[in-house]
Amino acid sequence: MMPDDLSADTDRLLLIVEDDDAFARTLSRSFERRGYQVLRATSVEQVQKLLAERGPEEAPEYAVVDLKLAGGGSGLACVQTLHEHDAEMVIVVLTGYASIATAVEAIKLGARHYLAKPANTDDIEAAFARAQGDAEVEVTDRATTSIKTLEWEHIHETLAATDFNISEAARRLGMHRRTLARKLEKQRVK
């Protein structure tokens, strides 16, 4: 199937990897109304089991993966697993913890796009369809970046390097684990 013509196929298989059950249910229903058959998982282990059970010929064509999963799980590991299973799978990463470092890693591991939450079904489906980059995207002046933004990017870079292990990231950042957890909760975009 060509991802540029999403409306032509009414039996598209989508995998949603999201540990927030309410958000996953809402997203599932929305995609089902658009003609997708939806599978759900909440961890890398569930993704691996699902892929093993279905086999390569029944692999999902599309995947929406949350960057940060319960229990310290990393959506980046899911992206890597999905891309290794089927390099043609169209993968979009969603996150409430957006950073340059994790965006770059997601794309390098095989994701097509990286969207900050809140993202809706229209945003995700547009990301599925858009295979090419956009050379017209506005380039912003880095000199106007705030210290808080730089701190946030550094925190995310460290989190990505530790596979989202908050204790290890806090140690590397030289701060208490609770302080890091509070900073993450304050910055979370819902």
Side-chain angles (χ1 to χ4, degrees):
M1 185 193 121
M2 297 300 296
D4 295 335
D5 187 16
L6 295 174
S7 61
D9 188 355
T10 58
D11 196 25
R12 300 161 288 186
L13 187 56
L14 167 69
L15 171 62
I16 296 175
V17 184
E18 170 66 64
D19 59 348
D20 179 338
D21 190 53
F23 181 68
R25 272 195 322 266
T26 301
L27 207 55
S28 294
R29 282 193 301 265
S30 183
F31 274 107
E32 286 168 350
R33 283 192 300 269
R34 293 176 185 227
Y36 289 83
Q37 179 186 356
V38 179
L39 304 170
R40 286 178 39 199
T42 61
S43 67
V44 178
E45 295 77 21
Q46 284 185 0
V47 167
Q48 291 167 335
K49 183 179 176 189
L50 184 140
L51 293 175
E53 289 171 354
R54 295 189 70 86
E57 65 283 345
E58 296 178 316
E61 299 167 79
Y62 303 95
V64 176
V65 180
D66 188 19
L67 182 64
K68 189 171 187 256
L69 301 170
S74 170
L76 294 176
C78 282
V79 170
Q80 184 175 26
T81 298
L82 291 167
H83 186 70
E84 287 173 354
H85 183 77
D86 181 0
E88 298 298 314
M89 188 181 304
V90 179
I91 305 167
V92 172
V93 173
L94 290 182
T95 184
Y97 300 92
S99 76
I100 293 170
T102 54
V104 169
E105 291 306 315
I107 300 304
K108 285 164 61 175
L109 290 169
R112 176 168 288 178
H113 284 287
Y114 180 99
L115 300 173
K117 288 180 180 177
N120 61 32
T121 309
D122 290 334
D123 299 332
I124 297 166
E125 202 165 40
F128 285 159
R130 210 173 122 228
Q132 301 299 315
D134 184 359
E136 300 300 316
V137 169
E138 181 181 343
V139 178
T140 59
D141 183 7
R142 187 70 173 174
T144 61
T145 302
S146 72
I147 290 173
K148 286 198 179 274
T149 301
L150 292 173
E151 176 191 38
W152 185 239
E153 288 178 3
H154 181 61
I155 286 171
H156 269 282
E157 194 172 290
T158 306
L159 279 167
T162 61
D163 287 330
F164 293 90
N165 180 320
I166 291 178
S167 296
E168 177 60 19
R171 186 189 68 73
R172 290 184 189 184
L173 291 165
M175 66 175 66
H176 194 278
R177 182 186 56 77
R178 287 188 197 134
T179 303
L180 177 58
R182 277 193 300 274
K183 285 180 179 283
L184 291 172
E185 196 56 39
K186 281 183 184 177
Q187 288 292 331
R188 187 166 188 189
V189 179
K190 287 258 182 184

